[in-house]
Amino acid sequence: MNDPETSFRTALQERVADQHPDYARISAGAISAGSRIRRRRRITVTVGAAAAVGAFAAGGLGLSQLLSTTAVDRAPLGAAGAPSASASPSVAPLVSGQRLDLGDGVTGVVVTNDEAKTMEITVQAVSGLAGNGTGFTIVLSGPAGAVEQKWSNDTLLEDYPGVRIATEGARKGLVDKVPVEQPPGWTCEWSLIDDKASCTSEDGGVAGLVIRPAKDYQAWSTSPDKAGPGSGAYLTEVHGDIFISVQSGEGTTDAELETLASSLRWTD
């Protein structure tokens, strides 16, 4: 038997559907449109070979050797070869020496951030959250296009909050580490090879950070179209060889943008 109150609410909603918008549906659609559509990959991890970890930490192994000696961690497979439906949506903390099979021919070797400093790698992206990836760098290897997809459009920064994503080779961006700390209430995810960060506030506002060479500061600081009220951007001061422009996004007011720019703190 139908609950009278539920039936009444249903009938009422149908009666006024053409007069008032369905706010729940509109809200859900707006949130969906404002989010990047990413494929969720669930990865379970195990500890790599202890001997390989020790040798790498002591400087005795290069990345290629580590790739050939550490265990590969894969998502559990069902009888048909597909990921098991019982796989946990959460992943365990990373451990130096792990090798992750990320699919599409891409593998990731886990090293500590201190170990990463000794390697010829480029940090491509950095998570702005603390979590199970804090203190670790995942160095990706594989086909160039697939590797780029993993650090730019995959879910590694979400699966391992706090992690850094790197690729083999020399740096191409202006800096080799995140240059500023964002103020409380903001979370930023960096793509260092592009010299950019995407930041989100607790109330859903969006802003972008762009690292720029100091030689461009004069042009930016004196142009009303590039910085200041009404331009959609504010600048930090020059710090060494760079400065940062803070640029508006959806849901961010001019005042919030100015406050964010003035609240960034250089990390060195």
Side-chain angles (χ1 to χ4, degrees):
M1 181 177 295
N2 293 332
D3 177 47
E5 183 177 349
T6 301
S7 299
F8 174 76
R9 285 200 303 266
T10 301
L12 181 60
Q13 289 173 349
E14 294 175 351
R15 183 65 177 273
V16 300
D18 60 341
Q19 301 178 39
H20 299 283
D22 185 341
Y23 290 107
R25 177 168 52 82
I26 292 174
S27 176
I31 292 173
S32 176
S35 302
R36 285 190 302 175
I37 300 174
R38 296 203 231 174
R39 176 168 54 87
R40 167 63 59 182
R41 182 178 301 279
R42 295 175 179 176
I43 305 169
T44 57
V45 295
T46 57
V47 179
V53 175
F56 182 80
L61 287 179
L63 178 61
S64 60
Q65 291 172 286
L66 190 63
L67 281 169
S68 64
T69 56
T70 52
V72 179
D73 304 322
R74 302 174 183 269
L77 300 180
S84 170
S86 62
S88 170
S90 61
V91 289
L94 297 173
V95 177
S96 179
Q98 288 173 316
R99 181 186 175 196
L100 307 177
D101 183 346
L102 302 173
D104 302 322
V106 179
T107 56
V109 173
V110 179
V111 297
T112 66
N113 291 346
D114 286 340
E115 290 168 341
K117 293 177 182 178
T118 69
M119 304 169 64
E120 274 198 28
I121 59 176
T122 299
V123 178
Q124 306 284 19
V126 180
S127 169
L129 299 173
N132 57 356
T134 300
F136 292 98
T137 299
I138 300 177
V139 184
L140 305 180
S141 298
V147 167
E148 182 175 354
Q149 283 291 104
K150 292 299 174 185
W151 66 256
S152 62
N153 293 322
D154 208 71
T155 63
L156 291 174
L157 297 179
E158 298 172 6
D159 292 335
Y160 301 103
V163 78
R164 305 191 313 172
I165 307 299
T167 57
E168 299 176 75
R171 163 148 304 286
K172 297 180 181 179
L174 291 173
V175 298
D176 57 7
K177 66 176 183 178
V178 176
V180 292
E181 294 179 353
Q182 67 270 14
W186 286 88
T187 298
C188 298
E189 290 189 358
W190 287 85
S191 175
L192 293 182
I193 195 171
D194 296 324
D195 301 313
K196 296 178 181 179
S198 175
C199 302
T200 306
S201 66
E202 290 179 340
D203 63 3
V206 177
L209 307 183
V210 181
I211 304 170
R212 302 186 184 279
K215 63 182 180 63
D216 293 342
Y217 184 80
Q218 180 68 18
W220 273 78
S221 61
T222 57
S223 171
D225 295 330
K226 293 182 179 295
S231 67
Y234 285 86
L235 308 180
T236 68
E237 296 296 325
V238 172
H239 185 78
D241 297 330
I242 62 172
F243 69 97
I244 293 177
S245 64
V246 182
Q247 302 178 185
S248 63
E250 184 177 356
T252 306
T253 66
D254 197 64
E256 289 172 332
L257 203 66
E258 183 177 17
T259 299
L260 174 60
S262 62
S263 299
L264 294 173
R265 295 291 177 263
W266 300 103
T267 56
D268 59 10

